[in-house]
Amino acid sequence: ACGGVAVAGLVYILMSALIKIFGVKKIMRFFPPVVTGPIIISIGLILAPSAIGNASTNWLLAVIALAVIIICNIWGKGMVKIIPIILGVLSAYAVAVVLHCVSVGNPQLAAAYPGIFQTIDFARINQADIVGVAPFQMAKFSISAVITIAPIALATMMEHIGDIAAISATAGKNYLAEPGLHRTMLGDGLATTMASMFGGPANTTYGENTGVLALTKVYDPRVMRIAACVAVILSFIPKFEAIINTIPAAIIGGVSLILYGMISAVGVRNIVENQVDFTKSRNLIIAAVILVSALGFNSVGGVNIPFTANFSINLSGLAIAAILGILLNAVIPGNDYEFGKDLLGDTSANFQI
C-alpha cells in the first residue's frame, strides 16, 4: 500500500509540472465547476455515514460537542470564538468522564441505559511510554498496488483544487494564482511520497480544515507552521497519543457532523457562484453521472477489474466519478469554462460572514 501511495504522490508531482508548463488556465479547463463541484459534494456525502455512525454510539456526547461548537462560534467572543472545536471536544469529553465514573460506580444503571453512559479505557494511558519513536517501515512496490491506489490521486486532486479555492476565498487571498496551484500540488505530492516511503500515510488537503479556518478566522500560515512543529513533537510522546485515543467516537462524530457537511457546502458554493447552468443537458449529465457514480459505486466497495487470477485493479467510487466526470467534460461539446475570468467563481467557497 505504501508503494502505491508513493506513486500517487508522483502523480501529483506530474500534475504540478503540467500546470507549470501549460499554465493553470489550460489545465483547469479539464476541471470546470460542473466537475469539481459534484466531486466535492460527493466527498462530503460519502463521509457523512462515518459521522452518523460515530455519533450514534452515544448521541448525548455527540449533541453536546455539536452544541458547544455552534454556541461558541455564533455567540462566543475573543478566544472562545477562535477555538470552538477544541472547546466542543473538551466539554463533551468532560461529560464522558463523568458518565464513565457513574457507570463504574453503578454498573446496573449503565447497563439499563447503554446509549447514554460511556465507558473509557484509561488503562492504555498507564501502559504508554512518555517518550518513544514510531517504527519505520520502508515502502515496497508492486504493480497491483500501484494500479489500485495511484488512480485515487485523480479524486484527491479534485478535492485539492476545491480546497485551495475554498481557502483562497475564506482567507481573502487567491492561492491558486500566488503561490500557484502548481506549487500547492507539488507540496502535496512531495509530502505524500516522502511520508509513504517510510511507512506513513498519504498527505492531502482536507475540507474539514477549511471548515476550521472558517470557524476560527485564523488564517496566518505561521500559526499552521507552529501547529505542525508542535504536532511533530507530540508524535514522540506515546502517552499523549494514548490520551487522544480515549476520546469517544461519539464526540468525533459530533464534530464531524459540521466539518463533513462543510465539504459538501464547498461543492454547492462552487456550483452556485460559478453560475453553472443546469438547464443545459450537458451539465446535468456530467453532474448526475459524477454524483451517482461516487455514491453508488462507493456503497458496493468500488469496482474490481480482474486481469489475471492473481492480479486485479480496484477503483473507489470517487476515482470512478472523477475519471467519468473528466472524460464526459472533455467529450461532450459546450465546455465554455475559462479559469481566471471570474475571481469570485474561481475562489467560490467563501465561508466568511
Side-chain angles (χ1 to χ4, degrees):
C2 287
V5 171
V7 175
L10 296 179
V11 174
Y12 268 80
I13 296 173
L14 175 61
M15 177 60 73
S16 71
L18 293 175
I19 295 173
K20 177 64 176 177
I21 294 171
F22 296 103
V24 67
K25 287 187 177 181
K26 290 184 178 179
I27 297 298
M28 288 299 292
R29 185 171 177 80
F30 293 96
F31 305 98
V34 72
V35 173
T36 58
I39 284 289
I40 299 169
I41 292 172
S42 299
I43 292 171
L45 294 178
I46 287 173
L47 289 172
S50 172
I52 298 300
N54 286 330
S56 63
T57 59
N58 192 318
W59 280 109
L60 176 62
L61 296 179
V63 171
I64 290 173
L66 179 63
V68 171
I69 292 173
I70 294 174
I71 292 170
C72 291
N73 184 252
I74 301 298
W75 292 285
K77 295 181 179 180
M79 184 60 69
V80 172
K81 194 175 183 68
I82 293 176
I83 56 171
I85 295 176
I86 293 177
L87 293 177
V89 171
L90 292 177
S91 299
Y93 188 72
V95 175
V97 172
V98 172
L99 294 175
H100 168 78
C101 294
V102 173
S103 64
V104 171
N106 194 336
Q108 293 81 11
L109 181 63
Y113 301 96
I116 296 178
F117 290 94
Q118 179 76 39
T119 57
I120 302 174
D121 183 12
F122 292 108
R124 186 174 178 178
I125 299 176
N126 297 326
Q127 298 169 357
D129 296 328
I130 297 177
V131 179
V133 179
F136 288 92
Q137 179 175 319
M138 298 301 295
K140 298 179 181 179
F141 294 88
S142 72
I143 295 177
S144 176
V146 169
I147 296 179
T148 299
I149 297 175
I152 299 175
L154 292 172
T156 56
M157 278 191 288
M158 299 294 103
E159 186 181 13
H160 179 104
I161 294 170
D163 286 339
I164 298 302
I167 292 173
S168 297
T170 306
K173 180 179 178 180
N174 190 354
Y175 293 108
L176 289 165
E178 179 61 40
L181 182 61
H182 64 287
R183 287 192 174 94
T184 63
M185 196 80 76
L186 176 63
D188 231 349
L190 288 174
T192 293
T193 299
M194 291 175 64
S196 59
M197 287 300 295
F198 299 99
N203 294 265
T204 184
T205 57
Y206 287 96
E208 298 93 325
N209 290 337
T210 305
V212 172
L213 290 176
L215 289 171
T216 63
K217 303 295 189 295
V218 176
Y219 314 134
D220 194 335
R222 290 175 295 182
V223 176
M224 312 306 163
R225 296 185 192 118
I226 293 172
C229 292
V230 171
V232 171
I233 294 172
L234 292 176
S235 70
F236 291 97
I237 307 177
K239 196 169 287 291
F240 178 79
E241 178 266 343
I243 294 173
I244 293 297
N245 276 314
T246 62
I247 298 176
I251 297 177
I252 305 302
V255 174
S256 300
L257 283 172
I258 289 181
L259 299 185
Y260 292 170
M262 282 189 169
I263 300 177
S264 291
V266 168
V268 173
R269 194 69 177 256
N270 182 278
I271 291 173
V272 171
E273 292 193 349
N274 278 282
Q275 299 179 358
V276 177
D277 187 0
F278 281 115
T279 62
K280 295 182 178 179
S281 297
R282 174 188 191 279
N283 294 337
L284 273 177
I285 291 171
I286 294 173
V289 169
I290 291 174
L291 290 171
V292 173
S293 298
L295 300 178
F297 284 112
N298 182 75
S299 66
V300 296
V303 171
N304 195 62
I305 306 174
F307 282 87
T308 65
N310 300 318
F311 177 73
S312 63
I313 300 174
N314 183 271
L315 295 178
S316 68
L318 275 177
I320 295 169
I323 294 171
L324 290 177
I326 294 171
L327 289 177
L328 288 174
N329 176 68
V331 172
I332 302 177
N335 182 12
D336 56 359
Y337 174 68
E338 182 180 350
F339 179 81
K341 183 178 180 181
D342 180 10
L343 179 61
L344 179 62
D346 293 336
T347 56
S348 59
N350 195 337
F351 283 111
Q352 293 177 334
I353 297 175

